[in-house]
Amino acid sequence: MKITIFGTGYVGLVQGACMADLGHDVLCIDIDAEKIKKLNKGQIPFYEPGLSDLITRNTKQGRLQFSLDANKGIEFAQTIFIAVGTPQTTTDKQSPSGQADLSAVFTVAKVIGENMKEYKVIVNKSTVPPLTTQKVRRVIQENLNQKELKFSIVSNPEFLKEGSAVKDFLIPDRIVAGIEKDDKQAKKIMLKIYDSLVRADKPIMFTDTTTSETIKYAANAMLASKISFMNELSHYAEKTGANIKEIARGIGLDNRIGPRFLQAGCGYGGACFPKDIQSLIYEMKENNVDCEIMSAIESVNLRQKQSIIKKVNQIFPDLEGKKIGIWGLSFKPNTDDIREAPSKIIIKDLLEQGAEIKTFDPEAMDNFKTEFLTDPDFNGGADIVYCQNPYEVAKNIDLLILVTEWNAFKEIDMEKIKNSMQEANLIDCRNVYKPQEIKELGFNYVSIGRE
Ligand SMILES: NC(=O)c1ccc[n+]([C@@H]2O[C@H](COP(=O)([O-])OP(=O)(O)OC[C@H]3O[C@@H](n4cnc5c(N)ncnc54)[C@H](O)[C@@H]3O)[C@@H](O)[C@H]2O)c1
């Protein structure tokens, strides 16, 4: 089938590459000229395991193309996906309302309406507040040149995770498609597009569009609540001497709970959980619905990021001139994405307190440098030293903080690390190391929710 995708970000590009690999003819459209230029030269604009091979193979075989030309995209296929960003509105940076900025989604809807000349199925893959798909229908309708043109509208949220996005897309737990009442045509097309991914135990689930949109928000809120639950409990475990890692295992073995998303750490980040939960809170408040649980998920998360600073200050009440090494900048391993990453809050605070920062991340340093360069509050990031490897970070530092649990920090000679440090203080924000072993090496070791 022919498919057009608007947006070549972490979702649109992965979807485009995977759908081409399944045999569809895919045209990806973006407004970012630099990105499209890179993609047309075979360069991948961000790091995602397995994506580069898929793109190379499918562009060579002619099933995957990239263009800036929206009109060409609309003509190209009957089915058009919208996979553009839906960040938080940033009109007031100091106290953002939490409301999702849907301008990119509506811009695409308008362009589709203006240029559509025959029946199309418009599928919204961006994460949006409930009722948005209906608004997308209205925007398209208002902009149609031929007012009588028929079109279908579908909500098809994406559940992939950065770092394992290709695998998640190709082996989804389920596919959710919200369609309008009695729209058999849209249902048939969605079944055809996803035919090779659907299995008996991994179904495509059809709902109405608003339920589909709400499933996505509910999934993110539920996963984030597991993380915040364990993070809050980790503070209690620290007081009583219980071990949060064993608590996670002990409850995770219960089928009713399951083992995933139970690791206490330094708070969730990324382009989804923070903004989607804030958007859900905003929407619930707008509808005069109490949102105590959602608000608690969010505030516990913020507190967790800040709690790492408290651990630092318990070791060094005065950070002026202290040399601190940070391992990991991305919001989680196997991605270069630093959106809402805990590393940002931690590093900014440490710099404000006068510390000197050295860091290494296998993939995210360029993104971090670029963001800090444009941040005048932090001297353009001039006070951060970016290192070639984890060993270089450790040289002559007073404290090492492991923020993101890349494999590069797990399989490492910790004795060598300890010997090169000025003072052997280690804060392990991801409970990667075994406390007994690491203490025997001579580290003053602090982790999360464990003695
Ligand atoms: N990143 C994730 O892990 C993830 C997972 C599931 C769902 N989502 C949701 O998917 C959506 C996309 O997320 P993302 O991380 O891929 O975003 P992104 O910021 O990485 O990419 C968005 C892309 O859309 C492009 N764009 C903006 N306006 C456009 C327009 N008018 N026409 C064409 N392209 C346009 C941008 O240039 C950019 O390349 C969001 O709603 C997000 O919440 C993201």
Side-chain angles (χ1 to χ4, degrees):
M1 280 184 80
K2 284 187 155 189
I3 293 167
T4 294
I5 301 170
F6 277 82
T8 57
Y10 289 85
V11 167
L13 190 55
V14 169
Q15 183 198 5
C18 290
M19 290 209 153
D21 212 50
L22 294 173
H24 298 301
D25 256 337
V26 181
L27 175 58
C28 292
I29 306 290
D30 207 290
I31 47 168
D32 184 337
E34 195 54 36
K35 219 177 206 183
I36 293 296
K37 198 166 140 194
K38 273 189 177 172
L39 284 164
N40 278 326
K41 281 194 208 157
Q43 296 165 1
I44 315 303
F46 53 85
Y47 175 74
E48 182 60 46
L51 185 60
S52 175
D53 287 352
L54 272 189
I55 292 180
T56 309
R57 182 163 71 239
N58 287 285
T59 42
K60 265 192 192 151
Q61 293 175 5
R63 283 193 302 271
L64 182 60
Q65 303 171 63
F66 305 98
S67 174
L68 286 167
D69 187 344
N71 208 357
K72 181 176 164 193
I74 295 158
E75 266 178 39
F76 179 79
Q78 189 182 54
T79 308
I80 302 171
F81 281 84
I82 303 177
V84 296
T86 49
Q88 216 180 103
T89 29
T90 50
T91 39
D92 182 359
K93 269 198 166 169
Q94 295 311 312
S95 55
S97 66
Q99 187 178 16
D101 177 355
L102 302 175
S103 55
V105 173
F106 294 138
T107 301
V108 176
K110 183 168 181 280
V111 175
I112 294 173
E114 286 167 347
N115 294 286
M116 210 166 87
K117 297 190 181 75
E118 60 198 353
Y119 170 79
K120 302 276 174 192
V121 184
I122 295 97
V123 189
N124 181 47
K125 197 160 253 310
S126 297
T127 304
V128 291
L131 299 172
T132 302
T133 308
Q134 289 180 23
K135 288 183 191 155
V136 169
R137 165 169 282 290
R138 286 200 289 278
V139 173
I140 295 173
Q141 186 68 51
E142 279 160 18
N143 286 284
L144 283 178
N145 283 321
Q146 305 165 41
K147 294 292 175 205
E148 71 287 357
L149 254 188
K150 294 268 173 280
F151 62 94
S152 294
I153 200 99
V154 178
S155 155
N156 174 218
E158 181 51 58
F159 299 98
L160 63 74
K161 301 181 293 305
E162 285 174 27
S164 57
V166 170
K167 183 173 145 276
D168 291 346
F169 191 89
L170 292 171
I171 314 171
D173 289 341
R174 78 311 206 178
I175 293 159
V176 175
I179 54 173
E180 292 176 313
K181 203 164 176 266
D182 300 329
D183 191 343
K184 294 197 181 81
Q185 179 77 339
K187 190 171 181 179
K188 205 167 113 191
I189 287 170
M190 293 307 285
L191 281 168
K192 206 165 161 195
I193 287 175
Y194 285 114
D195 181 49
S196 45
L197 300 185
V198 175
R199 316 244 187 294
D201 60 335
K202 301 190 185 299
I204 180 161
M205 174 184 168
F206 287 98
T207 68
D208 61 84
T209 57
T210 309
T211 302
S212 163
E213 294 162 330
T214 314
I215 287 172
K216 175 62 192 173
Y217 268 25
N220 277 359
M222 178 58 82
L223 293 171
S225 77
K226 289 178 90 175
I227 297 172
S228 279
F229 179 96
M230 294 307 287
N231 279 337
E232 187 166 86
L233 203 61
S234 74
H235 297 278
Y236 183 47
E238 281 171 14
K239 297 273 185 207
T240 61
N243 182 325
I244 199 73
K245 242 185 145 165
E246 286 173 20
I247 296 169
R249 184 167 145 76
I251 63 171
L253 285 166
D254 186 328
N255 273 336
R256 295 168 301 178
I257 298 171
R260 304 184 66 199
F261 286 79
L262 291 181
Q263 302 313 320
C266 49
Y268 58 75
C272 295
F273 288 1
K275 68 139 173 101
D276 292 343
I277 286 140
Q278 281 166 33
S279 167
L280 181 56
I281 292 169
Y282 174 87
E283 298 296 331
M284 288 173 82
K285 283 185 180 164
E286 283 291 290
N287 283 279
N288 295 319
V289 175
D290 288 338
C291 51
E292 284 168 50
I293 293 179
M294 307 304 164
S295 301
I297 295 169
E298 179 54 23
S299 56
V300 168
N301 191 56
L302 189 60
R303 219 166 46 220
Q304 193 67 14
K305 291 179 182 175
Q306 287 156 350
S307 74
I308 305 303
I309 309 295
K310 278 195 190 156
K311 288 185 190 290
V312 173
N313 288 132
Q314 272 161 11
I315 299 172
F316 294 121
D318 179 5
L319 289 182
E320 197 58 51
K322 291 288 175 202
K323 295 183 182 65
I324 299 182
I326 304 285
W327 278 357
L329 297 170
S330 54
F331 83 94
K332 66 173 185 174
N334 301 321
T335 180
D336 59 0
D337 198 341
I338 57 160
R339 290 178 281 186
E340 302 289 333
S343 63
K344 290 198 272 191
I345 289 190
I346 295 169
I347 288 178
K348 281 186 175 182
D349 195 297
L350 299 180
L351 285 172
E352 265 171 357
Q353 291 193 53
E356 294 167 26
I357 302 289
K358 283 205 272 175
T359 186
F360 170 75
D361 184 289
E363 295 293 339
M365 289 199 291
D366 285 347
N367 283 346
F368 207 84
K369 264 185 225 171
T370 310
E371 190 166 317
F372 265 67
L373 268 180
T374 53
D375 193 332
D377 291 350
F378 292 93
N379 194 16
D383 300 328
I384 301 174
V385 176
Y386 296 90
C387 299
Q388 298 291 321
N389 58 57
Y391 293 100
E392 206 182 308
V393 174
K395 265 186 209 153
N396 298 324
I397 56 172
D398 302 297
L399 164 68
L400 176 62
I401 310 177
L402 183 147
V403 178
T404 318
E405 69 278 34
W406 286 88
N407 280 343
F409 309 132
K410 292 179 183 167
E411 310 303 328
I412 196 161
D413 183 346
M414 288 305 283
E415 189 163 14
K416 192 170 160 191
I417 294 292
K418 193 236 143 199
N419 290 336
S420 68
M421 290 170 69
Q422 197 154 281
E423 280 193 50
N425 295 300
L426 170 60
I427 299 180
D428 174 0
C429 299
R430 304 290 180 172
N431 290 344
V432 162
Y433 306 109
K434 293 197 172 86
Q436 188 62 30
E437 285 176 15
I438 206 89
K439 282 179 191 167
E440 275 169 14
L441 289 178
F443 279 99
N444 169 32
Y445 179 67
V446 177
S447 57
I448 311 291
R450 304 189 295 182
E451 230 183 312

